[in-house]
Each structure stands twice: as structure tokens, then as C-alpha cells.
Amino acid sequence: MAGGQLGVLNALDGAKTQWYHFTAIIIAGMGFFTDAYDLFSIPNVTKLLGRIYYTHPGNPKPGTLPPNVSAAVNGVALCGTLAGQLFFGWLGDKLGRKKVYGITLALMVFSSLASGLSFGHTANGVISTLCFFRFWLGFGIGGDYPLSATIMSEYANKKTRGAFIASVFAMQGFGILAGAVVSIVVATAFDHAYSAPSYEVNPEASLVPQADYVWRIILMFGAVPAALTYYWRMKMPETARYTALVAKNAKQAAQDMSKVLQVEIQAEQEKVDIIVEREDNNFGLFSKEFVRKHGLHLLGTTTTWFLLDIAYYSSNLFQKDIYSNIGWLPPAKEMNAIQEVFKVARATALIALCGTVPGYWFTVAFIDHLGRFFIQLMGFFFMTVFMFALAIPYHHWATKEHRIGFLVMYAFTFFFANFGPNSTTFVVPAEIFPARLRSTCHGISAAAGKAGAIVGAFGFLYASQDKDPAKRDAGYPAGIGMKDTLILLAVVNCLGMFFTFLVPESKGKSLEELSGENEDEGDEHEQQQQGASTSVRTVPV
């Protein structure tokens, strides 16, 4: 099966870890740093937006975003991300990874700046333009998912490919942390410069006019890391797998990788022609052959990512509401507007430091030893356990003396999300599909995840509302309450465990071995005779 493997691909698979690997991780990873910063910095400022634009004089509590506005502000970027994942994933297979890579980053830089410059002084004007630009921000972020994952998988060697792809995704953890840190720094600076009383002392004075700059600076800062890496993205050569197996240019692939690996590689145009002209290497996404070979794989990658993101994004986007419900954040009326930004961001930073960031890097350390399947199954299992442990005795955790215990358990759910399915659902789709469909299939898998994130973002907002009108946020209908919502999320995680069995183990295999691009008809027939137990879909436990 590997006998027909191209020399340039063998060179990549067998390459020792070199400087270019780390360069690729940084260039691709800074995109994900920006993605996470932009997507997850919005919870730090939504309460401030509610105070600035929706506080009514004489109200005993500061204003909050109305239900439809809150849903739009939190969810519109996710809608854009879903669209971007599908569009740029497809485009990456049609035009090449490199040609599309710069477009997504430029769109992210522009939209980050534009989000902070949302114009108008009325609530409708500011929120409408903010949502418009955040949709296009999400569109650019969406393109980064399939392109970064595919580029890193096609550059990496066989032995440490999982760690390299996971490292790119792990930059998301630093992006979440950076969003919280920037919010803390900006809020602290403005609170010292423009001190104000709490809302209950003086409602009008608690909101200084300069507070409008706080949320704008926080959102605009997301453009900085993306802009810094734009030049280096443009300098990266196209991946050899795309150039050889899709563009069918063996000479260019050999030249590009000779420079990258600093070794002499022979162009093998005849071998390329033989590989790409095989009937097995020409079926399309909507063909019976694709369904037969990769249908269950795609079902597995889409369903697990969908279920994971329902729980992950609902927990991440609405941390501030969970903190308020357990009393870790003081009531809004006891703080001024800028202090509330500081305290929400401080809580987010603590969870990121204790659970989110370590989880990502545990995956990087162990993914090529334990395997993708084991880490994903383990992650879903412990997320289920900790969600039930939070939900069933929820009223126990809500008492003041048990709040620290709640936060420890909550941090563990994030730890096992990231040392688990949040990382592996990103890695696997970049490995198991053919080169000509790899970016598209990763985009479809990621878009399914974002569909789950949208369900989580919109559903959690309403479902978590208390049945007691006195405890509900203004304007919201009665929900099932925080306890039952957490139980529901635990059930979702449990379903993710079962769908994990559809996902193949890709540890230690070449991309062509996984996708079947290098097998001739005789090899394939022999594989089929051996039965499903020895096929690539086998999941060793």
C-alpha cells in the first residue's frame, strides 16, 4: 500500500521535528489565538453594553441586554463562523490552502477593528452595526478552522502530527486568557482614571461616559495578533499534498518541500499521474463511493463536534451568568459599570488558567501516545461526570461556603473538554479524508460544531432562566432553571461518548494510508476481505 507513496510525502512523514514545524504552528496558531479572543471576549462586555444602552432611569437594577439582543450579540459571530467554515473549507480545496489563507486573516483584522468602531449613539444603531461586523468577523474566523487544521496536518510528520495540529488549536486557550487579561487591564485603567460609585449609591454616576470606550478597545485589540502574522502567512508555500495530489504538480511540490526540509527531493510526475488518475481517487463528496468509504467517518466527526459545542459554548459564553447564579459575582447594583467588567473578566481568567489552558496542552503532550479516540472518549466521560456532579446537588453548590467547590468542579469540566473532545474533534477531520476533500470535510465537521454552538448559545440563554420571576433576567420567559440545564448538558456529553465510536483512530498512520489515496484496487479488495475489524475505521481501545 505504501509502495506507491511519493518521495516528497515520505520525506514529510519521516521528517524530524524542525524549526519549520514550530514556525507553522505559530503562524497558524496566531489565527486561532485571534479566533478565541474575538469569540470569547464578548461575554466580558455584554453586561457593560446592557448598562450603557438599556438602563432605564429609576430602575432598581442596572440595565441588561434584552433577550433578543443578547442572543444576537452572542450568536451572530457563530452564525458567521458556520458560514465561513463551509465556504472557505470548500474554497481551500478548489483554489489551494495558501491562496485562501490570507483572505480569512485580512477579514478578521478588518472586522475586529470595525466591531470596536460600531457607530451611532442609540442602542439600535450601535447593536445593529456591532452585529453586522461580528457576523463578518465570524465569517473570517470560520475559514481559519479548516485551513489551519489542513495546512498543519499536511506539513506535519507522521509521528507527531497529532501534537502539531493540537498545538495550533491550543492557542485558542491563550486567546481566551488574553481576552480576559485585556479586559482586566482596560477596566482597571478606566476605573482608576474615572472612579464612580456603585449603582445602588448613585445610578446615574455609576456609568461614566468614558465606559463606552472600554468595550470598544477590548474588541478592537483582537486585530493586533492577526495583523502581526499576516506577512508570514503570505510567505508560507502551498502544502506539498495539495500541490501534488490536487494540483498535480510534482515538480513544484518537490521544489517547495526541498526548501522547507532543506533536503534534495526528486519530482515524480509519472507517479503523481498514476495516483491521481486512479478511479478510487476521483470520487466526489456526493458520490456513493465517498459514502461507502468515508460516510460513517463524516457522520462521526460532525455529530461529536455538534454535541461537544452545545455544552462547550453554552458554558463558555454564559460563564458570567453561572458566576452570578452561585453568588461568586456580587449583585450588579453593588458595582459600577466598569467594575463589573473587571470582575467578570477576573472570573473568566481564573477558570482559563486553572482548567482551559492546561487542558489544551495536556492534549498536545499525550495525543500521539494515548491516541485521539481514547482522549475523546475520556473527555466526554469526565465532562458528563462533572456536569452531573454540578447539576444534581446544584443548590448545595449555590451556598456561600461551597462556591469554591463549584468553581473547582466547573474548571474540571473545561479541563476535560480541552483534554478531550474540544481538541480531538478539531484534529481528526484534518487527517482522515482525501487531500482533494480534506478542507471541505473539515469545514463541514466544524460547521456542525458551530451549529451546536448556536444551539448552545441561544438555547442556554432561555433554558437557564429561573422559574421564579423574581430571579429571572428582565424580559425573559420562564426556563427550566440552571440545575436542569446543567443536567441537559450532561446528557448531551453522554451522547457524545457513543458517537465517538464512529470516529477512526489516526495515530501513527500517514494521511494517504488513512484516506486510502495510495492504495490500488488489489490492496483495497484485500482490505475488504479482511473485514471491518481491520479497516481504518477500527478504533483500538
Side-chain angles (χ1 to χ4, degrees):
M1 190 162 125
Q5 178 79 310
L6 292 169
V8 65
L9 304 187
N10 275 331
L12 282 166
D13 283 340
K16 292 180 179 179
T17 301
Q18 298 176 34
W19 178 246
Y20 86 89
H21 286 122
F22 295 108
T23 305
I25 288 169
I26 293 166
I27 293 169
M30 287 311 290
F32 267 88
F33 179 97
T34 305
D35 297 350
Y37 182 98
D38 290 328
L39 285 178
F40 296 114
S41 61
I42 198 72
N44 298 330
V45 299
T46 47
K47 285 183 179 286
L48 179 59
L49 288 169
R51 285 194 187 232
I52 294 171
Y53 298 108
Y54 293 94
T55 295
H56 301 292
N59 198 315
K61 293 197 292 186
T64 57
L65 296 178
N68 59 331
V69 175
S70 182
V73 168
N74 282 292
V76 71
L78 300 177
C79 295
T81 304
L82 188 154
Q85 285 163 337
L86 292 172
F87 176 71
F88 286 114
W90 168 79
L91 205 61
D93 282 333
K94 292 297 176 187
L95 301 181
R97 290 58 160 131
K98 180 189 173 180
K99 286 183 181 177
V100 186
Y101 212 25
I103 299 171
T104 61
L105 203 65
L107 192 55
M108 286 157 58
V109 171
F110 170 77
S111 300
S112 290
L113 294 173
S115 294
L117 296 172
S118 298
F119 43 83
H121 294 288
T122 64
N124 285 343
V126 171
I127 299 298
S128 297
T129 51
L130 175 62
C131 288
F132 174 80
F133 289 123
R134 280 191 67 77
F135 175 86
W136 290 107
L137 173 64
F139 194 69
I141 288 172
D144 227 45
Y145 275 73
L147 293 170
S148 289
T150 301
I151 285 171
M152 200 64 242
S153 74
E154 292 181 345
Y155 263 114
N157 61 46
K158 193 162 53 173
K159 187 179 177 182
T160 56
R161 185 179 60 238
F164 288 154
I165 304 172
S167 295
V168 170
F169 196 62
M171 296 299 285
Q172 198 177 67
F174 289 129
I176 294 170
L177 182 61
V181 170
V182 170
S183 300
I184 289 169
V185 171
V186 173
T188 302
F190 273 78
D191 194 40
H192 281 297
Y194 309 100
S195 59
S198 65
Y199 186 88
E200 63 183 354
V201 172
N202 188 333
E204 191 174 339
S206 71
L207 179 65
V208 296
Q210 291 81 5
D212 193 50
Y213 294 118
V214 172
W215 69 269
R216 295 177 186 273
I217 292 169
I218 291 169
L219 295 187
M220 289 171 74
F221 189 82
V224 175
L228 290 175
T229 54
Y230 183 81
Y231 170 78
W232 298 107
R233 273 202 184 189
M234 295 297 92
K235 295 279 286 182
M236 285 181 80
E238 181 58 84
T239 70
R241 284 181 162 92
Y242 182 87
T243 306
L245 299 177
V246 184
K248 306 174 188 177
N249 189 339
K251 184 179 178 182
Q252 188 63 52
Q255 284 179 355
D256 288 343
M257 292 307 105
S258 292
K259 291 177 185 175
V260 168
L261 297 172
Q262 297 181 334
V263 295
E264 188 66 34
I265 299 174
Q266 295 296 318
E268 300 170 293
Q269 190 61 50
E270 286 183 14
K271 201 179 278 189
V272 167
D273 292 338
I274 292 169
I275 291 171
V276 299
E277 285 170 14
R278 281 186 197 139
E279 192 176 332
D280 280 353
N281 289 339
N282 285 293
F283 58 82
L285 181 65
F286 300 105
S287 65
K288 289 181 182 178
E289 188 71 8
F290 179 85
V291 173
R292 184 177 69 81
K293 283 192 165 190
H294 300 290
L296 282 178
H297 297 168
L298 189 59
L299 179 64
T301 58
T302 51
T303 50
T304 51
W305 209 335
F306 173 80
L307 293 166
L308 175 274
D309 273 5
I310 292 176
Y312 186 76
Y313 274 80
S314 57
S315 299
N316 233 321
L317 289 174
F318 299 103
Q319 287 183 59
K320 62 189 187 305
D321 302 308
I322 294 171
Y323 301 149
S324 297
N325 276 18
I326 65 161
W328 198 38
L329 292 178
K333 65 182 180 180
E334 295 178 12
M335 301 176 279
N336 67 43
I338 297 174
Q339 284 170 349
E340 190 170 29
V341 173
F342 171 83
K343 292 193 174 176
V344 169
R346 185 181 62 181
T348 304
L350 186 61
I351 292 294
L353 272 174
C354 297
T356 306
V357 173
Y360 282 114
W361 292 99
F362 264 70
T363 300
V364 173
F366 293 108
I367 191 167
D368 289 310
H369 301 285
L370 299 177
R372 288 72 161 148
F373 173 79
F374 177 84
I375 289 175
Q376 183 161 312
L377 196 67
M378 175 195 68
F380 270 129
F381 173 76
F382 281 110
M383 286 174 72
T384 305
V385 168
F386 284 114
M387 280 286 187
F388 275 128
L390 288 171
I392 293 171
Y394 179 73
H395 298 296
H396 164 83
W397 296 118
T399 58
K400 189 172 183 179
E401 62 271 22
H402 296 125
R403 287 172 192 165
I404 298 300
F406 179 95
L407 289 168
V408 171
M409 302 279 276
Y410 192 54
F412 270 118
T413 63
F414 279 110
F415 175 81
F416 282 107
N418 295 311
F419 183 32
N422 193 41
S423 296
T424 54
T425 52
F426 176 80
V427 172
V428 175
E431 299 180 305
I432 62 176
F433 298 107
R436 66 188 181 283
L437 299 171
R438 186 169 291 134
S439 179
T440 302
C441 290
H442 194 285
I444 292 169
S445 303
K450 281 300 166 285
I454 292 165
V455 170
F458 290 103
F460 188 91
L461 195 61
Y462 289 90
S464 61
Q465 295 299 320
D466 206 282
K467 296 170 186 175
D468 181 356
K471 296 180 181 178
R472 284 202 301 270
D473 291 335
Y476 285 87
I480 60 174
M482 189 65 76
K483 176 179 177 174
D484 290 341
T485 303
L486 290 173
I487 290 175
L488 189 61
L489 294 180
V491 172
V492 166
N493 290 326
C494 190
L495 286 173
M497 271 197 297
F498 293 109
F499 280 101
T500 294
F501 286 92
L502 295 177
V503 181
E505 178 57 77
S506 51
K507 181 183 76 169
K509 297 175 182 176
S510 75
L511 297 180
E512 289 67 44
E513 192 179 349
L514 288 160
S515 65
E517 286 168 289
N518 230 18
E519 48 181 42
D520 57 31
E521 290 179 16
D523 291 330
E524 187 185 353
H525 179 71
E526 189 180 327
Q527 258 194 337
Q528 288 173 355
Q529 292 297 317
Q530 290 171 353
S533 64
T534 57
S535 77
V536 77
R537 280 182 9 222
T538 300
V539 182
V541 183

